[in-house]
Amino acid sequence: MEDAKLTVRAVERALDILLCFRETTDLSLTEIAARVDLHKSTVHRLLASLEGKGFVIRNAATERYKLGFRIFELSANMSQSNDPEVLLLPEMEKLRDLIGETVSLYVRDGLERVRVQAVQSNQPIRRYAPVGARLPLYVGASSKVLVAFAESNIEAHVLQAADWPAWLDRQAYAQQLHETRELGFATSIEEREPGAAAIAAPIFNHAHKLVAAIAVSGPANRLTAEKMREHAPQVVEFASRMGAMLM
C-alpha cells in the first residue's frame, strides 16, 4: 500500500512539472523546482523520466527544458467533434473581424476561469490574450457571466471564497451578477488590469446549460462603455449562434 502511495505521488509530481509549462515555453531545473516546491534532485529524477518518454526536451547547451513532441502526439488524438475551443473558432474569427478586437473563450474550472481559445485583434495596439491563462472569478466581464448563469450554488461559493479580495465589496459584486442576468451580458472597464475593457455573453448548449463565456476585449480608450453598449447585441447574437452549434 505504501509503495502504491509513493507511485501515485510520483505521478502527481510529474504532472505538476508538466503544468509548469502552461504559461512559458522553457524553464530551468531551478525554476521548475521552485514552482513545484520540490528539491532539485527530486525534480531532476522526474525530468529524466519525462525526457525518456518524450514529454520534455532538455537543451544540453542551456540546461533548460521545454515540452516534448509526445505532448503534441497526445493532443492530436483529442476528440474535437464537439470541443467548443475547436468548433467555435470560425465564429470567433468572424466576431473578431466584425468588431475588430480580441475575442476569447472562457470556461469555469472550480473557482477560476480558464481561457481555452483566443483570436487576437489585428490592430497594432491590442490586448493580447494567452490561451491557458487562469483568472479569478470575482472580477472581469467573462467572470460575471460564468458565475451569473451557472448553477445557483456557484455564486454562493464565489462570494464565500476565503481569498475574496478585501478591496471588493461582495454586495456590489452580487448586484453586478443580478444586472448581468437581467441584461444577458456583462461589461468591465479596468477591473482586472489598467487600460483594458471587455464585454462578455454566455454560451448555452441545446439543454440550456452554460458551457462557456465569449468575451471581446481591447483598450479601454477604444472599447468604451458606449461602444460596448453598441456591440452588446452582436456579442449576444454570436453567443447564441455558438450555442446552437453545441450538443
Side-chain angles (χ1 to χ4, degrees):
M1 183 64 71
E2 189 63 28
D3 288 344
K5 289 182 179 179
L6 290 174
T7 301
V8 171
R9 185 60 183 141
V11 172
E12 291 176 345
R13 288 173 169 176
L15 292 173
D16 286 340
I17 289 174
L18 292 177
L19 290 173
C20 289
F21 294 92
R22 287 180 298 181
E23 298 178 5
T24 188
T25 56
D26 68 326
L27 292 164
S28 69
L29 172 62
T30 301
E31 290 169 335
I32 295 172
R35 292 190 180 209
V36 297
D37 194 23
L38 291 173
H39 196 278
K40 285 199 291 185
S41 61
T42 301
V43 174
H44 185 269
R45 289 196 301 270
L46 292 168
L47 282 168
S49 296
L50 290 170
E51 184 180 8
K53 292 292 185 180
F55 286 98
V56 298
I57 297 173
R58 181 177 63 90
N59 186 318
T62 63
E63 290 296 322
R64 296 182 71 83
Y65 295 83
K66 64 179 181 179
L67 291 176
F69 294 109
R70 189 73 68 183
I71 295 289
F72 302 104
E73 291 177 14
L74 292 176
S75 64
N77 289 318
M78 288 178 61
S79 172
Q80 299 181 347
S81 59
N82 201 38
D83 291 341
E85 62 268 29
V86 176
L87 193 61
L88 303 182
L89 183 57
E91 290 298 312
M92 293 176 65
E93 292 173 339
K94 292 177 185 177
L95 182 58
R96 184 271 314 274
D97 293 342
L98 177 65
I99 297 180
E101 302 291 355
T102 296
V103 177
S104 299
L105 185 70
Y106 291 95
V107 298
R108 182 180 63 82
D109 183 19
L111 295 182
E112 294 180 307
R113 58 179 164 114
V114 183
R115 186 184 293 116
V116 295
Q117 186 60 280
V119 179
Q120 312 299 335
S121 168
N122 291 324
Q123 304 205 46
I125 299 176
R126 60 191 176 188
R127 183 171 180 273
Y128 177 70
V131 173
R134 285 180 171 269
L135 302 165
L137 281 177
Y138 51 73
V139 66
S142 55
S143 289
K144 296 174 196 174
V145 164
L146 290 173
V147 177
F149 295 99
E151 300 88 344
S152 58
N153 64 314
I154 299 301
E155 179 177 340
H157 286 321
V158 173
L159 289 170
Q160 295 167 10
D163 60 348
W164 184 269
W167 54 265
L168 184 59
D169 184 85
R170 298 175 196 259
Q171 289 186 334
Y173 179 78
Q175 178 59 32
Q176 291 176 2
L177 296 180
H178 173 73
E179 293 172 356
T180 297
R181 285 187 286 267
E182 290 287 312
L183 295 171
F185 65 90
T187 61
S188 65
I189 298 178
E190 297 187 314
E191 287 186 4
R192 192 177 64 82
E193 59 182 281
I199 177 171
I203 298 176
F204 299 100
N205 62 14
H206 284 282
H208 202 68
K209 179 181 179 181
L210 180 68
V211 175
I214 191 70
V216 176
S217 61
N221 61 355
R222 196 165 64 217
L223 200 58
T224 62
E226 182 180 0
K227 277 291 184 182
M228 287 193 285
R229 283 194 296 270
E230 293 178 8
H231 292 315
Q234 298 168 322
V235 177
V236 171
E237 178 186 355
F238 267 82
S240 177
R241 283 164 48 179
M242 292 176 184
M245 299 168 63
L246 303 175
M247 297 299 292

